Amino acid sequence: MDISDTIIPNSAQINAEDLLRPITVNITGVERGNAEQPVFIHLAEFPGRTYRPGKSMRRVLVAAWSAEASTYTGRRLTLFNDPTIKFGKDVTGGIRISHMSHIDKPLNVALTVTRGRRAPFIVQPLPDAAPVDASQIDAALTAITNATTTGQLDAITTHATNIGIHKHITDAVTQKRAQLDS
């Protein structure tokens, strides 16, 4: 029995501790956040929660894809938990990007490590997604139809993400979630 869904924090954003292992995510939209967290990136794999990149990862996004965030929809990132990230003098951990779609070679960005000191940060290209097996999509859609809890929907979404079919089931998951919530 997989109990990973029982340790998900109740939060509007994804957190470093959500990433027990690196995960490749698909961007479904980007919106302006608030003064403290100015960018909210919506991900197919985390419905109802957003990725809120810190300044360093926003610099990586701009260096790779430009400052025009409306072009990010449909692109992919691999996110991971980096326990060495500092916030001020405290080691708090945080989320970093290891791979990105829409780059054709490794991207090397100099990021601030401490005041006045920069270090190279390298992001690898994310290969194109593998071809999709239609029978896997059909099986996922059947599982969504038969789901009776949002926890089951979360598990289906996670599995679909892992096998690369998440974008084919997103609408069905959204509709079923609304049905279960009503």
Side-chain angles (χ1 to χ4, degrees), residues 25-30 41-44 65 72-77:
V25 295
N26 292 272
I27 298 172
T28 59
V30 180
I41 299 178
H42 298 273
L43 306 171
W65 292 343
Y72 297 2
T73 300
R75 296 182 181 194
R76 299 177 304 132
L77 304 167

Side-chain angles (χ1 to χ4, degrees), residues 11-16 18-19 25 29-43 46 48-58 61 77 79 85 93-97:
S11 174
Q13 69 184 39
I14 62 170
N15 301 298
D18 293 327
L19 305 176
V25 295
V30 180
E31 68 177 295
R32 173 82 55 199
N34 54 43
E36 188 175 303
Q37 296 173 314
V39 178
F40 293 179
I41 299 178
H42 298 273
L43 306 171
F46 293 94
R49 298 172 71 200
T50 56
Y51 168 45
R52 300 176 184 183
K55 189 173 284 190
S56 291
M57 292 302 98
R58 292 194 308 269
L61 289 164
L77 304 167
L79 304 175
I85 291 178
I95 299 173
R96 293 226 191 250
I97 300 167

Side-chain angles (χ1 to χ4, degrees), residues 56 59 84-89 96 109-121:
S56 291
R59 287 181 174 142
T84 67
I85 291 178
K86 291 181 178 181
F87 187 75
K89 294 182 181 196
R96 293 226 191 250
V109 181
L111 297 179
T112 302
V113 178
T114 59
R115 189 173 297 224
R117 191 174 135 241
R118 298 167 69 81
F121 183 81

